[in-house]
Amino acid sequence: MSVQPLIDSRIAKLLGVPVGSPVMRRFRVTGPESEPPFQINISWIHPRGVADAPEVAVQAPGPGDWLYRLEQAGHWPISWMEIHRARMPTKDEAGLLEIPISLPVLEIVRQGISGRDGQPIEVTEYVVASDRVETVHVLHRDESAQSPWPDDSALGE
């Protein structure tokens, strides 16, 4: 963990800070001990989150402890939105994941919104080798969906 200037304009916009702002950055490469690394996680914590919960700068024994600390400091409940895309890895990412640069990765960018003020409190980017990931999505109908379907005459043919 360290405070670094946030130079990625996409991440800065999602976090709600100007490009170049000093932001707490958490960096981890994780995976089972007997296998190549599974993913790279980079989290940026909004400066007000660090001010509210300075302990987010400490490496805790369990995963996600820093999110608990943010919620405990008044940002309960954090809600999330994710953006998924496939792309080619950078040279550094390929090296960390022990994959060829020709193997695509799945990038998941998660934006955490504070329950206190409705503003971004954290953004986390996950980079996962495409041969190590599967996604499952459960879709739900909107409450406005009609059952049964209206007959054709109601649709204004």
Side-chain angles (χ1 to χ4, degrees), residues 95-118:
L96 289 169
L97 293 170
E98 300 175 21
I99 61 172
I101 60 170
S102 59
L103 180 68
V105 293
L106 175 64
E107 175 191 80
I108 301 168
V109 176
R110 180 190 75 201
Q111 179 191 51
I113 302 295
S114 168
R116 175 170 66 200
D117 59 17

Side-chain angles (χ1 to χ4, degrees), residues 4-153:
Q4 298 183 7
L6 179 51
I7 57 172
D8 183 319
S9 61
R10 178 177 175 226
I11 299 296
K13 183 176 180 180
L14 286 168
L15 191 57
V17 298
V19 173
S21 296
V23 176
M24 174 64 62
R25 178 181 181 260
R26 299 176 57 92
F27 178 87
R28 293 179 31 170
V29 178
T30 60
E33 287 185 33
S34 61
E35 297 176 19
F38 179 78
Q39 69 182 5
I40 301 166
N41 328 15
I42 306 170
S43 298
W44 293 269
I45 304 169
H46 195 283
R48 77 183 191 293
V50 177
D52 293 342
E55 58 274 14
V56 298
V58 177
Q59 181 63 47
D65 179 77
W66 63 277
L67 291 168
Y68 167 75
R69 300 293 174 199
L70 288 173
E71 289 187 323
Q72 190 179 44
H75 295 283
W76 171 265
I78 297 174
S79 58
W80 292 275
M81 183 260 312
E82 288 186 345
I83 303 163
H84 296 213
R85 72 176 175 154
R87 63 171 175 78
M88 301 309 289
T90 66
K91 277 185 156 181
D92 289 342
E93 291 168 339
L96 289 169
L97 293 170
E98 300 175 21
I99 61 172
I101 60 170
S102 59
L103 180 68
V105 293
L106 175 64
E107 175 191 80
I108 301 168
V109 176
R110 180 190 75 201
Q111 179 191 51
I113 302 295
S114 168
R116 175 170 66 200
D117 59 17
Q119 298 299 310
I121 194 68
E122 66 92 13
V123 173
T124 298
E125 177 186 32
Y126 301 92
V127 179
V128 187
S130 62
D131 65 346
R132 301 173 196 158
V133 66
E134 175 181 14
T135 65
V136 177
H137 306 268
V138 177
L139 306 178
H140 299 277
R141 287 188 185 270
D142 187 85
E143 291 178 10
S144 67
Q146 296 180 23
S147 175
W149 281 81
D151 64 28
D152 290 344
S153 64

